[in-house]
Amino acid sequence: MSDMTSTADAPRSPGRPRSVRADEAIIEATLDLLAEGSTIEALSIEAIAARAGVGKATIYRRWSGKDALLMDALRRLKGVPPQPAGHSVRDDLVLLVGAVGHNVDPRAARIMPCLVPEVNRSPDHFQLYQNIIEPRRKLMREVLRRGVDSGELRADLDIELAMALLSGPMLIQRVLRWHPELDERILPERVVDSVLEGLRAR
């Protein structure tokens, strides 16, 4: 996967303004096709263009290729990560843990589980996933480091392991619906409080 950066972020040359409506139609077409069962491998620019009602050239003027378009589409699907307030390590972790596996777009429930095998099979798709999820990990990493710096959390804390301990339960519950009797409304608080018992400074 050679290009992981959206051309939407690149400077544009002077000329006719870009159509926001076309951008939206292309992103929506990509997500619709994935939700209907298309794999990343089978998904084509031709199919996306046909669903969006635009020409292939319109897509290539906006994105360098399918990988860049997928990056933007999946970011849209995930939504904007919540921003910690910075007042309480616990409250910030509850906020971030509550966002793990949570998507307001109903298509995510059909798309995300289907991406797992493709991510595992393809190094390129694995890197795509990493690029999408890393900004969310960065937010949690910063909260945990703040807790270490303030003395709230153990000085020898393994930050990366702590993130896995916090994120794993929410991910397995929301993606796999592992235990139907767990109340997801309070699960983020229960997970954070349980894990913090082992992370707090003694």
Side-chain angles (χ1 to χ4, degrees), residues 18-34 36 43-55 58-59 62-63 69 72-73 76 107:
R18 184 164 136 172
S19 167
V20 174
R21 181 176 298 178
D23 291 1
E24 292 289 326
I26 294 164
I27 292 288
E28 288 298 304
T30 303
L31 293 175
D32 282 344
L33 289 168
L34 289 172
E36 290 166 11
L43 188 66
S44 67
I45 293 295
E46 289 82 359
I48 295 169
R51 175 63 66 91
V54 300
T58 301
I59 295 177
R62 290 157 168 78
W63 291 276
L69 173 53
D72 282 354
R76 168 77 64 83
R107 290 173 296 190

Side-chain angles (χ1 to χ4, degrees), residues 1 4 9 11 15 28 32 35 37 43-44 69 72 78 88-89 113 117 119 122 142 149 152 155-156 159 162 173 186:
M1 191 166 289
M4 290 295 167
D9 298 328
E28 288 298 304
D32 282 344
L43 188 66
S44 67
L69 173 53
D72 282 354
K78 293 292 294 178
S88 161
V89 169
V119 165
S122 166
E142 290 170 350
D149 292 342
E152 294 175 69
D156 63 346
I159 299 288
Q173 180 65 18
I186 60 172

Side-chain angles (χ1 to χ4, degrees), residues 3-112:
D3 185 353
M4 290 295 167
T5 304
S6 167
T7 56
D9 298 328
R12 289 181 55 77
S13 57
R16 187 173 59 186
R18 184 164 136 172
S19 167
V20 174
R21 181 176 298 178
D23 291 1
E24 292 289 326
I26 294 164
I27 292 288
E28 288 298 304
T30 303
L31 293 175
D32 282 344
L33 289 168
L34 289 172
E36 290 166 11
S38 176
T39 65
I40 291 178
E41 291 292 349
L43 188 66
S44 67
I45 293 295
E46 289 82 359
I48 295 169
R51 175 63 66 91
V54 300
K56 288 195 299 181
T58 301
I59 295 177
Y60 284 118
R61 278 198 297 269
R62 290 157 168 78
W63 291 276
S64 58
K66 188 174 75 171
D67 294 342
L69 173 53
L70 277 170
M71 174 80 79
D72 282 354
L74 294 175
R75 279 177 175 160
R76 168 77 64 83
L77 188 70
K78 293 292 294 178
V80 179
Q83 297 300 310
H87 305 308
S88 161
V89 169
R90 177 195 179 273
D91 291 348
D92 287 348
L93 288 176
V94 169
L95 177 72
L96 295 175
V97 168
V100 173
H102 175 72
N103 303 281
V104 294
D105 192 319
R107 290 173 296 190
R110 300 192 297 275
I111 294 174
M112 298 310 291

